[in-house]
Amino acid sequence: MLPWNVELAGRLDRAVISSDLLRDNPLGDPYERPVWVYLPPGYDDDTDTRYPTVYVIQGLTGHLGMWANRSPFQQPFIETADAVFASGRAPGCVVVYVDAWTAYGGSQFVDSPGTGAYHSYLCDEVVPWVDARYRTINHRDSRAISGKSSGGFGAMITPMLRPDLFGALATHAGDTLYEYCYLSEFPKAARALRDHDHDILRWWEDFRSRTPFSRPGDQSLLVALVSSACFSADPDGTPRLPFDPRTGVLRPEIWQRWLDWDPVRMVDRYADAVRSLRAVWIDAGTRDEWYLDLGAEAFRAELGRVGVPDERIHLELFDGGHGGIDHRYPLALAWLAQRLAR
Amino acid sequence: MLPWNVELAGRLDRAVISSDLLRDNPLGDPYERPVWVYLPPGYDDDTDTRYPTVYVIQGLTGHLGMWANRSPFQQPFIETADAVFASGRAPGCVVVYVDAWTAYGGSQFVDSPGTGAYHSYLCDEVVPWVDARYRTINHRDSRAISGKSSGGFGAMITPMLRPDLFGALATHAGDTLYEYCYLSEFPKAARALRDHDHDILRWWEDFRSRTPFSRPGDQSLLVALVSSACFSADPDGTPRLPFDPRTGVLRPEIWQRWLDWDPVRMVDRYADAVRSLRAVWIDAGTRDEWYLDLGAEAFRAELGRVGVPDERIHLELFDGGHGGIDHRYPLALAWLAQRLAR
Amino acid sequence: MLPWNVELAGRLDRAVISSDLLRDNPLGDPYERPVWVYLPPGYDDDTDTRYPTVYVIQGLTGHLGMWANRSPFQQPFIETADAVFASGRAPGCVVVYVDAWTAYGGSQFVDSPGTGAYHSYLCDEVVPWVDARYRTINHRDSRAISGKSSGGFGAMITPMLRPDLFGALATHAGDTLYEYCYLSEFPKAARALRDHDHDILRWWEDFRSRTPFSRPGDQSLLVALVSSACFSADPDGTPRLPFDPRTGVLRPEIWQRWLDWDPVRMVDRYADAVRSLRAVWIDAGTRDEWYLDLGAEAFRAELGRVGVPDERIHLELFDGGHGGIDHRYPLALAWLAQRLAR
Amino acid sequence: MLPWNVELAGRLDRAVISSDLLRDNPLGDPYERPVWVYLPPGYDDDTDTRYPTVYVIQGLTGHLGMWANRSPFQQPFIETADAVFASGRAPGCVVVYVDAWTAYGGSQFVDSPGTGAYHSYLCDEVVPWVDARYRTINHRDSRAISGKSSGGFGAMITPMLRPDLFGALATHAGDTLYEYCYLSEFPKAARALRDHDHDILRWWEDFRSRTPFSRPGDQSLLVALVSSACFSADPDGTPRLPFDPRTGVLRPEIWQRWLDWDPVRMVDRYADAVRSLRAVWIDAGTRDEWYLDLGAEAFRAELGRVGVPDERIHLELFDGGHGGIDHRYPLALAWLAQRLAR
């Protein structure tokens, strides 16, 4: 294996979508967005075949360009995904890499006055754009969404909100059980705010002026800021923290706005959508630093409770933490590719 | 300083109380309890003087005998407390070391069907026993309680429940803000229960059969067990966990029973008692692993909100973690000794 | 099990030895030293029987009084040692707890102008004192020495230096393979000295004036100071660091003085003494923070190389770290008790 | 700042060098090597100007392609380097990104029978190739080399070996003081080999078959393997470990072969070359996990000792660890660019 140069068996198109929905977004982020569309081997040969589509989204602080990052002794997902199809492990799919980055590091794939209409951008602009340009099977039973961490969150909620578009999903260490994955960051964030007059926007100003993630609490504060902007922004876009920035005491009504976005808690409200899913891949590492393995079990238990048949669910807890789990992605991709309608 | 042998300027009596209230306690723990009573220098000389009393309680897993433990380069509290009075830093007090240990490692100083009537033991048996035998000033304005960690919790709640007995307190890194100090243990506990059929009593059986604290999760599970036994036991004494042992999902009604014992949340319910306090010492390390520095700030903010005057409160956040903070105890003792009525 | 009060089946005498050898020791430490002598069950009944003796020494920063410290859910060694004999697991021995503490936290059980003649004190004062007062079998085949960490080091070297006195030993996580257990502390020490003008005596002054072990590097600097005082002091007692305090660069000639005290390296020089040992217990945790499990294997390999028969050696690597391994001590004590000559 | 797409003010050429020296390298790695050559703003406008050259090399496990990796909230070095010149902070240089990756993760930029002739490849193939194709100033006073970690090591030793080619260097957290940066890995490596029959090549086979860096000890073993292949390979290419793989005991003669490559120790041997350097940038984080801040101070002290004038040296210890220090690279680049002869 050469580490620095690999030929794909399929083909990767790199394009830009000019979004109407993201124009005038509150953070002033670009509305021209990159999108990468992968066509599997054979796509250009047999021009009659149409393919299921798997949408792939990034985790927090991730943007599209990072899919091309290279690591020691490992291939990036673009190549391991290509190998899934090139090796014949699964029938070909179109794979669409979507960008939903914001200046705060992410959008959580929701529509929010704090960040922009990223959920709608994905569903109402990217999906039609892809279907108009590529030989996809334009049907929810042939369309899946997949991601890790915040991307796993996005993969869980998007089909709940839009079962007309997505009929399958894969979540790797997806954010859920917020009392463990999010709440544990709040005291660290509150502590770190002592150096910033208990004002997260002062911290943000400081953060942007220096080497990022070089001070204790940076990670916790970034999570608090971006999620407040996504889950609990005021109508004018101001992010509202779910805790008192001095004492850390929870603000119940704001915290509830976050909890309303907790996938484990959403299943019940979106039970019909959830029951319509034909394939759900759930995995997480048993040493996940945000306890998303427990989140995975809790999410899976809720699926069962509302009546999703066992055979449509794959739950797997593997030996690992939250980072360095890219090797899981092609496993889920192959599993989805075998289950999407053709 | 000799590390292995020190003469006290005062005197330490070691006695045993035969408790009626602890007889037939549910864990079969001894009802004959050690108590140590320290008399300050001069106590035996001037037999007319009566003294204020400071009750000292242990943290979780602590029992009376540990007050005699010795550490490198440091004197135990018994000696640094003695030095407070011997040096003239503060006028003399009687200091009473109370034992409230249970087979689970502690009682949280509450009455519970899961452990026993340790709150009542302290208030209705130890206090009268001391006042009957020593020249104390038997008045709530001359009686304080002090402790660290779970002992700090006990020091916060006991005067709320019994303002007739206690008029002052000192809490060092006392347990409060349960969403941070307790909740963060639950996912660790749930994970560790995977090896024990998701049954905490099976874990307990295993724990008792081997080297304690030798496996990951032991600490979290012990905290979950003892606090369930103290805060959320069934009437028959069975401890009820506040979370699903498989998924970690909170059980709201049981978790609420814990929250009802959160000092920050209790202040409002016991506002009259709290307002009657003449001296409240609150401290914690800014690196406390259970974020009890935030708890300290939140508790202090609640005191202010219900109307405790600033001059009766000492809040101090110091550079330190949760462990190794014994040097804080004599500071609070001296401060209390100066404020108790004589 | 009561945690706070236990009756021994045997008897523990607490005495003081007035040492000639420690009088005028360079650190001004007391020359009157406590010694505890444990007599097994039956000692007072059958006054004809004489017993083998096991000398027990402390690790770094430990002093005699700490043997009485109590821990949660565990009995101290004094009691678990008593249980070895009370239960009949092994025939009775006299167990002697020796103090070799210094103002720097320890003596490494060697004679040094930097600390005092602690090796000679143990061999030429404590041993005769015990044999004169108790019904011991005064023969090297009936005398063992045992310890943990620095105490394990002492247990390895004392029989090498004085095979006339000691014929058996037990080392738990004993210091050896200095390139791993000691050398790794030097860069931490050098870094911490940046705040003290690169002068370890200035650090020492600071350390003594505040809460011990409250600053990063305290542990590493203490180890560097005490071991320099023991292994590489000038004739006038000044401790000489084996590394440049600014750059951390090794000073080979001083470092060699330390290496000359590395048990793994000493075996060859003391091969005759080592070959005369009738029982050698070696253990360490596989997660020992100072890699003393590798040290244990290296020491054991050296024993084999110079011809100690396998049946006289017990090597055991157990699952554990450096701390919290007190449960290992009674295992070695029973093993030694079965092998000492009677 | 757009995170996913940036226009350079200069220009980056991506080429491939077909190396004679790497043909038939022992690991079967490619002999066709990528090389990236950056031309500063204005290079294409004023075709008479010739430029100094800065060669940039990767750290261990790094290969050329990783320079294009993107991180959250930060630009990659290619862009921050471009900004150095675009902003006018320093006069233009040609910047050459060299690849010296091997199947083991690196070459340490030396010639070795264990990996290949990477030092010679850099000096005798890449440098002439660049000078033949670009308007460089082909003189050692106008040529620098720069790198981080193992790349910092390469930057320190290459000008010592080839002062005819390189007259300046920058080392960020460069490997040196091997008793701290390397030796501390050996016990971890020896421990991890317990699962592989004490045979590093068995571990290597296992490592290549699974998710890399997913087991404890992987990092330490990789460092041991690659450095043995580079510093202490047999003539037939077999890597020889500097420690006994069972006990961790040092093998002095092999360890000495490593020490002979320690930059701190090499300065004396290459004193003339070192004295000829016109600019030496040395930095490291004060929390560097491999203590390369001490290494930096030790290297700087040696430079001074052999007579390099202070004004040619920049030593800076900054608040930071070993990772996440990319923001240091453009600082050194600007400093070098101002000092190279034009």
Side-chain angles (χ1 to χ4, degrees), chain B residues 238-261:
Chain B
T238 306
R240 304 280 288 169
L241 289 178
F243 57 88
D244 182 306
R246 183 181 295 267
T247 62
V249 171
L250 282 178
R251 293 165 166 167
E253 69 288 355
I254 303 179
W255 177 228
Q256 186 60 48
R257 294 181 65 187
W258 288 45
L259 294 178
D260 288 344
W261 279 110

mmCIF file of all heavy atoms in Angstrom, chain B residues 238-261:
data_model
loop_
_atom_site.group_PDB
_atom_site.id
_atom_site.type_symbol
_atom_site.label_atom_id
_atom_site.label_comp_id
_atom_site.label_asym_id
_atom_site.label_seq_id
_atom_site.Cartn_x
_atom_site.Cartn_y
_atom_site.Cartn_z
ATOM 1 N N THR B 238 -33.972 -2.371 50.487
ATOM 2 C CA THR B 238 -33.301 -2.645 49.218
ATOM 3 C C THR B 238 -32.884 -1.346 48.546
ATOM 4 O O THR B 238 -33.708 -0.465 48.320
ATOM 5 C CB THR B 238 -34.254 -3.405 48.265
ATOM 6 O OG1 THR B 238 -34.740 -4.555 48.948
ATOM 7 C CG2 THR B 238 -33.550 -3.798 46.979
ATOM 8 N N PRO B 239 -31.602 -1.216 48.205
ATOM 9 C CA PRO B 239 -31.179 0.003 47.506
ATOM 10 C C PRO B 239 -31.710 0.004 46.073
ATOM 11 O O PRO B 239 -31.655 -1.019 45.389
ATOM 12 C CB PRO B 239 -29.653 -0.087 47.522
ATOM 13 C CG PRO B 239 -29.291 -1.457 47.962
ATOM 14 C CD PRO B 239 -30.499 -2.144 48.485
ATOM 15 N N ARG B 240 -32.237 1.143 45.644
ATOM 16 C CA ARG B 240 -32.767 1.278 44.279
ATOM 17 C C ARG B 240 -31.880 2.218 43.491
ATOM 18 O O ARG B 240 -31.740 3.394 43.853
ATOM 19 C CB ARG B 240 -34.178 1.853 44.329
ATOM 20 C CG ARG B 240 -35.139 1.052 45.179
ATOM 21 C CD ARG B 240 -35.666 -0.147 44.462
ATOM 22 N NE ARG B 240 -36.611 0.274 43.435
ATOM 23 C CZ ARG B 240 -37.099 -0.530 42.498
ATOM 24 N NH1 ARG B 240 -36.706 -1.809 42.433
ATOM 25 N NH2 ARG B 240 -37.959 -0.080 41.628
ATOM 26 N N LEU B 241 -31.304 1.729 42.397
ATOM 27 C CA LEU B 241 -30.426 2.569 41.590
ATOM 28 C C LEU B 241 -31.231 3.635 40.851
ATOM 29 O O LEU B 241 -32.314 3.353 40.350
ATOM 30 C CB LEU B 241 -29.670 1.717 40.569
ATOM 31 C CG LEU B 241 -28.583 0.804 41.112
ATOM 32 C CD1 LEU B 241 -27.972 0.009 39.957
ATOM 33 C CD2 LEU B 241 -27.494 1.607 41.804
ATOM 34 N N PRO B 242 -30.660 4.820 40.712
ATOM 35 C CA PRO B 242 -31.369 5.882 39.988
ATOM 36 C C PRO B 242 -31.190 5.792 38.470
ATOM 37 O O PRO B 242 -31.537 6.737 37.772
ATOM 38 C CB PRO B 242 -30.742 7.161 40.542
ATOM 39 C CG PRO B 242 -29.387 6.763 40.984
ATOM 40 C CD PRO B 242 -29.463 5.314 41.390
ATOM 41 N N PHE B 243 -30.634 4.704 37.989
ATOM 42 C CA PHE B 243 -30.440 4.554 36.539
ATOM 43 C C PHE B 243 -30.635 3.093 36.168
ATOM 44 O O PHE B 243 -30.439 2.199 36.993
ATOM 45 C CB PHE B 243 -29.045 5.031 36.121
ATOM 46 C CG PHE B 243 -27.926 4.319 36.828
ATOM 47 C CD1 PHE B 243 -27.397 3.127 36.334
ATOM 48 C CD2 PHE B 243 -27.400 4.819 38.014
ATOM 49 C CE1 PHE B 243 -26.366 2.463 36.994
ATOM 50 C CE2 PHE B 243 -26.378 4.166 38.689
ATOM 51 C CZ PHE B 243 -25.867 2.982 38.183
ATOM 52 N N ASP B 244 -31.027 2.904 34.913
ATOM 53 C CA ASP B 244 -31.143 1.558 34.363
ATOM 54 C C ASP B 244 -29.739 0.936 34.311
ATOM 55 O O ASP B 244 -28.835 1.498 33.690
ATOM 56 C CB ASP B 244 -31.745 1.644 32.968
ATOM 57 C CG ASP B 244 -31.953 0.284 32.328
ATOM 58 O OD1 ASP B 244 -30.978 -0.499 32.251
ATOM 59 O OD2 ASP B 244 -33.071 0.007 31.886
ATOM 60 N N PRO B 245 -29.550 -0.202 34.966
ATOM 61 C CA PRO B 245 -28.184 -0.731 35.056
ATOM 62 C C PRO B 245 -27.640 -1.242 33.718
ATOM 63 O O PRO B 245 -26.453 -1.525 33.626
ATOM 64 C CB PRO B 245 -28.311 -1.869 36.068
ATOM 65 C CG PRO B 245 -29.748 -2.225 36.081
ATOM 66 C CD PRO B 245 -30.522 -1.002 35.709
ATOM 67 N N ARG B 246 -28.495 -1.352 32.691
ATOM 68 C CA ARG B 246 -28.006 -1.819 31.396
ATOM 69 C C ARG B 246 -27.687 -0.643 30.474
ATOM 70 O O ARG B 246 -26.621 -0.596 29.866
ATOM 71 C CB ARG B 246 -29.046 -2.726 30.738
ATOM 72 C CG ARG B 246 -28.601 -3.317 29.401
ATOM 73 C CD ARG B 246 -29.690 -4.196 28.801
ATOM 74 N NE ARG B 246 -29.952 -5.375 29.609
ATOM 75 C CZ ARG B 246 -29.367 -6.565 29.431
ATOM 76 N NH1 ARG B 246 -28.477 -6.717 28.463
ATOM 77 N NH2 ARG B 246 -29.666 -7.582 30.207
ATOM 78 N N THR B 247 -28.583 0.306 30.391
ATOM 79 C CA THR B 247 -28.414 1.410 29.442
ATOM 80 C C THR B 247 -27.958 2.698 30.105
ATOM 81 O O THR B 247 -27.575 3.646 29.422
ATOM 82 C CB THR B 247 -29.753 1.725 28.740
ATOM 83 O OG1 THR B 247 -30.698 2.135 29.749
ATOM 84 C CG2 THR B 247 -30.296 0.512 28.018
ATOM 85 N N GLY B 248 -28.013 2.762 31.422
ATOM 86 C CA GLY B 248 -27.650 3.996 32.100
ATOM 87 C C GLY B 248 -28.747 5.043 32.102
ATOM 88 O O GLY B 248 -28.582 6.106 32.703
ATOM 89 N N VAL B 249 -29.866 4.777 31.433
ATOM 90 C CA VAL B 249 -30.946 5.774 31.365
ATOM 91 C C VAL B 249 -31.446 6.092 32.774
ATOM 92 O O VAL B 249 -31.677 5.183 33.580
ATOM 93 C CB VAL B 249 -32.102 5.256 30.485
ATOM 94 C CG1 VAL B 249 -33.315 6.181 30.574
ATOM 95 C CG2 VAL B 249 -31.629 5.127 29.035
ATOM 96 N N LEU B 250 -31.580 7.382 33.066
ATOM 97 C CA LEU B 250 -32.051 7.804 34.380
ATOM 98 C C LEU B 250 -33.465 7.290 34.655
ATOM 99 O O LEU B 250 -34.301 7.265 33.752
ATOM 100 C CB LEU B 250 -32.043 9.330 34.475
ATOM 101 C CG LEU B 250 -30.692 9.995 34.705
ATOM 102 C CD1 LEU B 250 -30.859 11.508 34.729
ATOM 103 C CD2 LEU B 250 -30.045 9.517 36.002
ATOM 104 N N ARG B 251 -33.697 6.933 35.905
ATOM 105 C CA ARG B 251 -35.058 6.643 36.373
ATOM 106 C C ARG B 251 -35.509 7.874 37.152
ATOM 107 O O ARG B 251 -35.124 8.074 38.318
ATOM 108 C CB ARG B 251 -35.020 5.432 37.299
ATOM 109 C CG ARG B 251 -34.635 4.133 36.573
ATOM 110 C CD ARG B 251 -34.252 3.056 37.567
ATOM 111 N NE ARG B 251 -34.207 1.733 36.950
ATOM 112 C CZ ARG B 251 -33.677 0.662 37.517
ATOM 113 N NH1 ARG B 251 -33.143 0.754 38.738
ATOM 114 N NH2 ARG B 251 -33.682 -0.495 36.888
ATOM 115 N N PRO B 252 -36.323 8.707 36.533
ATOM 116 C CA PRO B 252 -36.549 10.057 37.080
ATOM 117 C C PRO B 252 -37.069 10.060 38.511
ATOM 118 O O PRO B 252 -36.635 10.872 39.332
ATOM 119 C CB PRO B 252 -37.571 10.659 36.115
ATOM 120 C CG PRO B 252 -37.451 9.869 34.866
ATOM 121 C CD PRO B 252 -37.026 8.483 35.270
ATOM 122 N N GLU B 253 -37.970 9.155 38.850
ATOM 123 C CA GLU B 253 -38.563 9.239 40.195
ATOM 124 C C GLU B 253 -37.529 8.869 41.265
ATOM 125 O O GLU B 253 -37.531 9.434 42.363
ATOM 126 C CB GLU B 253 -39.832 8.384 40.278
ATOM 127 C CG GLU B 253 -39.636 6.880 40.224
ATOM 128 C CD GLU B 253 -39.225 6.346 38.842
ATOM 129 O OE1 GLU B 253 -39.167 7.132 37.850
ATOM 130 O OE2 GLU B 253 -38.932 5.134 38.759
ATOM 131 N N ILE B 254 -36.632 7.954 40.935
ATOM 132 C CA ILE B 254 -35.609 7.609 41.931
ATOM 133 C C ILE B 254 -34.524 8.689 41.976
ATOM 134 O O ILE B 254 -34.065 9.094 43.042
ATOM 135 C CB ILE B 254 -35.000 6.224 41.622
ATOM 136 C CG1 ILE B 254 -36.118 5.176 41.577
ATOM 137 C CG2 ILE B 254 -33.955 5.858 42.671
ATOM 138 C CD1 ILE B 254 -35.640 3.784 41.251
ATOM 139 N N TRP B 255 -34.153 9.139 40.820
ATOM 140 C CA TRP B 255 -33.164 10.224 40.751
ATOM 141 C C TRP B 255 -33.668 11.449 41.525
ATOM 142 O O TRP B 255 -32.898 12.118 42.201
ATOM 143 C CB TRP B 255 -32.890 10.553 39.287
ATOM 144 C CG TRP B 255 -31.960 11.688 38.992
ATOM 145 C CD1 TRP B 255 -32.170 12.711 38.122
ATOM 146 C CD2 TRP B 255 -30.639 11.925 39.529
ATOM 147 N NE1 TRP B 255 -31.091 13.563 38.086
ATOM 148 C CE2 TRP B 255 -30.141 13.107 38.943
ATOM 149 C CE3 TRP B 255 -29.838 11.263 40.459
ATOM 150 C CZ2 TRP B 255 -28.884 13.637 39.254
ATOM 151 C CZ3 TRP B 255 -28.578 11.796 40.774
ATOM 152 C CH2 TRP B 255 -28.116 12.960 40.171
ATOM 153 N N GLN B 256 -34.976 11.686 41.466
ATOM 154 C CA GLN B 256 -35.526 12.820 42.205
ATOM 155 C C GLN B 256 -35.338 12.635 43.708
ATOM 156 O O GLN B 256 -35.115 13.618 44.436
ATOM 157 C CB GLN B 256 -37.011 12.999 41.862
ATOM 158 C CG GLN B 256 -37.621 14.254 42.476
ATOM 159 C CD GLN B 256 -36.913 15.523 42.006
ATOM 160 O OE1 GLN B 256 -36.682 15.713 40.815
ATOM 161 N NE2 GLN B 256 -36.541 16.400 42.947
ATOM 162 N N ARG B 257 -35.409 11.383 44.169
ATOM 163 C CA ARG B 257 -35.182 11.157 45.601
ATOM 164 C C ARG B 257 -33.755 11.566 45.983
ATOM 165 O O ARG B 257 -33.522 12.054 47.092
ATOM 166 C CB ARG B 257 -35.417 9.685 45.959
ATOM 167 C CG ARG B 257 -36.879 9.253 45.797
ATOM 168 C CD ARG B 257 -37.099 7.806 46.180
ATOM 169 N NE ARG B 257 -36.849 7.561 47.608
ATOM 170 C CZ ARG B 257 -36.850 6.351 48.161
ATOM 171 N NH1 ARG B 257 -37.101 5.263 47.410
ATOM 172 N NH2 ARG B 257 -36.608 6.205 49.442
ATOM 173 N N TRP B 258 -32.824 11.333 45.091
ATOM 174 C CA TRP B 258 -31.468 11.809 45.351
ATOM 175 C C TRP B 258 -31.430 13.342 45.345
ATOM 176 O O TRP B 258 -30.857 13.959 46.233
ATOM 177 C CB TRP B 258 -30.503 11.274 44.280
ATOM 178 C CG TRP B 258 -30.177 9.826 44.365
ATOM 179 C CD1 TRP B 258 -31.032 8.786 44.569
ATOM 180 C CD2 TRP B 258 -28.869 9.250 44.222
ATOM 181 N NE1 TRP B 258 -30.340 7.602 44.550
ATOM 182 C CE2 TRP B 258 -29.024 7.856 44.332
ATOM 183 C CE3 TRP B 258 -27.595 9.763 43.995
ATOM 184 C CZ2 TRP B 258 -27.940 6.974 44.236
ATOM 185 C CZ3 TRP B 258 -26.508 8.900 43.890
ATOM 186 C CH2 TRP B 258 -26.693 7.515 44.020
ATOM 187 N N LEU B 259 -32.005 13.926 44.311
ATOM 188 C CA LEU B 259 -31.960 15.390 44.187
ATOM 189 C C LEU B 259 -32.582 16.071 45.409
ATOM 190 O O LEU B 259 -32.157 17.158 45.794
ATOM 191 C CB LEU B 259 -32.672 15.842 42.908
ATOM 192 C CG LEU B 259 -32.007 15.427 41.597
ATOM 193 C CD1 LEU B 259 -32.830 15.898 40.404
ATOM 194 C CD2 LEU B 259 -30.579 15.973 41.498
ATOM 195 N N ASP B 260 -33.557 15.389 46.006
ATOM 196 C CA ASP B 260 -34.164 15.973 47.207
ATOM 197 C C ASP B 260 -33.147 16.090 48.346
ATOM 198 O O ASP B 260 -33.380 16.816 49.317
ATOM 199 C CB ASP B 260 -35.355 15.122 47.663
ATOM 200 C CG ASP B 260 -36.544 15.264 46.720
ATOM 201 O OD1 ASP B 260 -36.561 16.215 45.915
ATOM 202 O OD2 ASP B 260 -37.453 14.410 46.778
ATOM 203 N N TRP B 261 -32.080 15.341 48.245
ATOM 204 C CA TRP B 261 -31.017 15.425 49.245
ATOM 205 C C TRP B 261 -29.840 16.281 48.781
ATOM 206 O O TRP B 261 -28.780 16.258 49.412
ATOM 207 C CB TRP B 261 -30.496 14.018 49.583
ATOM 208 C CG TRP B 261 -31.331 13.256 50.572
ATOM 209 C CD1 TRP B 261 -32.097 12.160 50.327
ATOM 210 C CD2 TRP B 261 -31.467 13.524 51.978
ATOM 211 N NE1 TRP B 261 -32.709 11.721 51.467
ATOM 212 C CE2 TRP B 261 -32.342 12.545 52.510
ATOM 213 C CE3 TRP B 261 -30.962 14.501 52.835
ATOM 214 C CZ2 TRP B 261 -32.700 12.500 53.859
ATOM 215 C CZ3 TRP B 261 -31.313 14.460 54.173
ATOM 216 C CH2 TRP B 261 -32.178 13.471 54.674
#
